[in-house]
Amino acid sequence: MRFRPFSELDLERLNRVAGSRPLSLGAVRHFARTGHSFLAEEGEEPKGFALAQAVWQGEATTVLVARIEGEDQATLEGLLAAVVKSAYDAGVYEVALHLDPGRKALTGALKAQGFAIGPLVLAVRVLGSRGQRGETRGVLE
């Protein structure tokens, strides 16, 4: 399996594994420029992706994985390894993501790649019309 940075030309390939939450061209353009986002492929077949970016938090930088999708735990592990390597190469020594505990393959991939899980809990408030429509983008109720 190959893990490579993607470009806006990969929009259709990314959306083949995005499921019910397709990516917009704007999102793909943004994450393609971050240096921390990757497409997983086996031959010419897309198998998953990681959307990540460096975020300055006042004292340190964290590479935040905004979204990760993959067909299986091995794909997710490879994507996490690619993000971790890109962070390390950029001199960023923390990688984080929000985990839906129902995603067992992702939980296993995170543990296999040395991530600590918990005990923090993410609290989210969606503002504006998205909040009024009840949109949560995967936040647990």
Side-chain angles (χ1 to χ4, degrees), residues 15-33:
N15 278 329
R16 285 178 30 204
V17 292
S20 63
R21 291 178 45 213
L23 300 170
S24 69
L25 181 58
V28 171
R29 284 179 175 155
H30 168 77
F31 284 105
R33 291 189 304 265

Side-chain angles (χ1 to χ4, degrees), residues 14 19 32 62 70 77-78 83 85 97-98 102 107 111 127 131 139:
L14 292 161
T62 299
E77 283 186 41
V83 171
K85 181 179 184 330
L97 67 112
H98 304 299
T107 300
K111 288 179 179 176
L127 305 177
V139 176

Side-chain angles (χ1 to χ4, degrees), residues 45-103:
E45 188 65 28
K47 297 294 184 182
F49 62 82
L51 307 178
Q53 64 182 324
V55 179
W56 173 249
Q57 301 193 66
E59 294 182 356
T61 304
T62 299
V63 169
L64 179 64
V65 180
R67 184 170 171 192
I68 185 166
E69 301 290 345
E71 293 189 349
D72 53 40
Q73 185 171 328
T75 301
L76 294 167
E77 283 186 41
L79 287 164
L80 288 168
V83 171
V84 167
K85 181 179 184 330
S86 74
Y88 187 81
D89 289 350
V92 178
Y93 300 107
E94 182 176 86
V95 178
L97 67 112
H98 304 299
L99 171 64
D100 172 352
R103 292 185 67 186

Side-chain angles (χ1 to χ4, degrees), residues 25-45:
L25 181 58
V28 171
R29 284 179 175 155
H30 168 77
F31 284 105
R33 291 189 304 265
T34 69
H36 301 294
S37 298
F38 297 92
L39 172 63
E41 298 174 308
E42 199 156 48
E44 294 298 315
E45 188 65 28

